[in-house]
Amino acid sequence: MDPKILRALSYGMYAIGVKGKGGPSACIANTVVQVAGTTPPVIAVSIHHDNYSNACIREAGIFTVSILSEDTSGTVIGALGLNSGRSIQKLKNIRHRVLREGVPIIKESACCWMLCKVIGQVETATHTVFLAEVTAGSEAMTGTPMTYAYYRSVIKGVVPQNAPSYEEPDFLTDPETEKYICTICTYVYQNPDVLFEDLPEDWVCPICGAQKSMFKRR
Amino acid sequence: MDPKILRALSYGMYAIGVKGKGGPSACIANTVVQVAGTTPPVIAVSIHHDNYSNACIREAGIFTVSILSEDTSGTVIGALGLNSGRSIQKLKNIRHRVLREGVPIIKESACCWMLCKVIGQVETATHTVFLAEVTAGSEAMTGTPMTYAYYRSVIKGVVPQNAPSYEEPDFLTDPETEKYICTICTYVYQNPDVLFEDLPEDWVCPICGAQKSMFKRR
């Protein structure tokens, strides 16, 4: 079997808002699906065991889903998806609103949001699949929902190591070319016209916003 | 909350192949997701309690996923998705191959296939979420995977009543216009240029292939 066939499954791009001990936080997920059509509807979301958001959802029993639109920038996705809420305030530079339940929804280029209450969970080797009732949500939606395929092909987005679909990129194993890799999000700088050394000192990673000093030569 | 926001979740289009008492059968699902990235990978698929395929998967403990491409015709989707395997041989007119395990894979416009072994299941009010290991699959993939959004917007496909995302279409509740509705798949004939009565007797439903006599006026 060619493992690439798993990439043919279709997904969306979602920000999962959680209530942590240190305040509201959020992560990126591509697996949010409706699994029952009753009133209220039931959705399933898959979150890696190691993710800070996983622990927060277990503790609080609630979370939000903000459905990201095609207008969402790679920087927003990088800030939420490629850093840990344990170490940084991810929402600092992202337009959001904290619901009275203490969970945030993303206002920056999101189509709509839902508030979800956990009703069950299933463990796999690496991820928890949370089942949750949708108890509230937007009164309308705007924009076109971003699919994971769009994120990969148009935004050229990277995949964090905790995603179910992660695999080591080919370029990391090619010994021929010198590369500068962001140690936060694994973005690889490869502009043939400007040497990495010649980038201005205030240049930041276009995906996760990390400073130039966070890049390592490989 | 506007219930339409649930339609902004992204899905694919899949044929789920099963081994029934009367032979191989298949249904359509839009919810197939990878939930763990281990070797072997683990996927989740959501199937309505009332579906024949649900009973077959419980009984046999295995099923296949054929990822449908954008080239898949509405007739193939209608034949598999809008009839019950309890009453008809759904695969009769569809190009397929039965694996030695007794489960079929779809050869007609599919991108690739996977053989899956059930390792757990979760019940919701209306659906079973089966968790399964992918134990075998295609050596390569072809074509562009069809998303559910593409099916709804380009193929103008209908949604069976057992889908999590089903809702009563607006036109069924509008008393002003006379309509002819396929009793098999709920497709509504509404070509303003040709009266339903004037269609040739060998005309069939463009979605599920039912004969003209299966349509009812409403």
Side-chain angles (χ1 to χ4, degrees), chain A residues 1-2 10-11 14 34 139, chain B residues 1 10-11 14 34 138-139:
Chain A
M1 174 178 110
D2 179 354
S10 297
Y11 300 94
Y14 311 101
Q34 188 178 357
E139 281 310 323
Chain B
M1 175 177 108
S10 296
Y11 300 93
Y14 311 101
Q34 188 177 357
S138 309
E139 281 310 323

Side-chain angles (χ1 to χ4, degrees), chain B residues 38-213:
Chain B
T38 47
T39 310
V42 178
I43 61 155
V45 55
S46 173
I47 309 275
H48 196 280
H49 291 159
D50 295 345
N51 276 23
Y52 177 61
S53 297
N54 188 313
C56 296
I57 294 172
R58 280 167 198 278
E59 179 96 4
I62 56 168
F63 62 91
T64 62
V65 175
S66 297
I67 301 182
L68 302 180
S69 79
E70 290 184 352
D71 298 329
T72 309
S73 76
T75 308
V76 168
I77 296 169
L80 297 180
L82 303 166
N83 296 290
S84 172
R86 285 192 181 89
S87 50
I88 68 156
Q89 292 293 337
K90 289 191 189 184
L91 293 165
K92 208 173 74 178
N93 298 316
I94 292 171
R95 214 152 49 81
H96 66 283
R97 177 159 73 87
V98 179
L99 303 182
R100 64 165 181 269
E101 289 82 359
V103 279
I105 57 172
I106 304 303
K107 302 292 284 179
E108 200 156 322
S109 308
C111 293
C112 54
W113 60 270
M114 307 170 193
L115 175 63
C116 307
K117 185 176 162 238
V118 176
I119 58 167
Q121 63 203 54
V122 191
E123 299 302 332
T124 72
T126 52
H127 288 67
T128 308
V129 180
F130 291 101
L131 298 176
E133 287 178 356
V134 180
T135 58
S138 309
E139 281 310 323
M141 67 165 277
T142 53
T144 302
M146 183 188 285
T147 64
Y148 184 59
Y150 184 93
Y151 172 65
R152 293 304 300 277
S153 67
V154 181
I155 300 193
K156 311 273 185 218
V158 297
V159 181
Q161 294 193 14
N162 279 352
S165 49
Y166 177 78
E167 31 182 275
E168 182 96 328
D170 297 338
F171 52 73
L172 289 183
T173 51
D174 167 18
E176 289 306 307
T177 54
E178 187 179 81
K179 350 172 168 43
Y180 284 84
I181 300 173
C182 175
T183 55
I184 302 297
C185 76
T186 74
Y187 169 78
V188 178
Y189 180 79
Q190 46 191 355
N191 181 342
D193 299 327
V194 182
L195 286 175
F196 184 81
E197 292 82 348
D198 295 341
L199 289 168
E201 279 316 302
D202 60 355
W203 180 89
V204 294
C205 172
I207 298 296
C208 75
Q211 293 179 326
K212 198 179 164 188
S213 60

Side-chain angles (χ1 to χ4, degrees), chain A residues 177-191:
Chain A
T177 53
E178 186 179 83
K179 352 172 168 40
Y180 284 84
I181 300 173
C182 175
T183 55
I184 302 295
C185 75
T186 72
Y187 169 79
V188 179
Y189 180 79
Q190 45 191 356
N191 180 344

Side-chain angles (χ1 to χ4, degrees), chain A residues 45-214:
Chain A
V45 55
S46 174
I47 309 275
H48 196 281
H49 291 159
D50 295 346
N51 276 22
Y52 176 61
S53 297
N54 189 313
C56 296
I57 294 172
R58 280 168 197 279
E59 179 96 3
I62 55 169
F63 61 91
T64 62
V65 175
S66 298
I67 301 183
L68 302 181
S69 79
E70 289 185 350
D71 297 330
T72 310
S73 76
T75 309
V76 168
I77 296 169
L80 297 179
L82 303 164
N83 297 288
S84 173
R86 285 193 182 87
S87 50
I88 68 155
Q89 292 293 338
K90 290 191 188 183
L91 293 166
K92 207 174 73 178
N93 298 316
I94 292 172
R95 214 152 48 83
H96 66 282
R97 176 159 74 89
V98 180
L99 303 182
R100 64 166 181 267
E101 289 83 359
V103 280
I105 57 172
I106 304 304
K107 303 291 285 178
E108 201 156 322
S109 307
C111 293
C112 54
W113 61 270
M114 304 171 196
L115 175 63
C116 307
K117 186 177 161 236
V118 176
I119 57 167
Q121 63 203 55
V122 191
E123 298 303 331
T124 71
T126 52
H127 289 66
T128 307
V129 180
F130 292 101
L131 298 176
E133 288 178 354
V134 180
T135 59
S138 308
E139 281 310 323
M141 66 165 278
T142 53
T144 303
M146 183 188 285
T147 63
Y148 184 59
Y150 184 94
Y151 172 65
R152 294 304 300 276
S153 68
V154 180
I155 300 195
K156 311 272 184 219
V158 297
V159 181
Q161 293 192 15
N162 279 352
S165 49
Y166 178 78
E167 31 182 274
E168 182 95 327
D170 296 339
F171 53 73
L172 288 184
T173 50
D174 166 20
E176 288 306 308
T177 53
E178 186 179 83
K179 352 172 168 40
Y180 284 84
I181 300 173
C182 175
T183 55
I184 302 295
C185 75
T186 72
Y187 169 79
V188 179
Y189 180 79
Q190 45 191 356
N191 180 344
D193 300 327
V194 182
L195 286 175
F196 183 81
E197 293 81 348
D198 294 341
L199 289 168
E201 280 315 302
D202 60 355
W203 180 88
V204 295
C205 172
I207 298 295
C208 73
Q211 293 180 326
K212 197 179 165 185
S213 60
M214 298 306 287

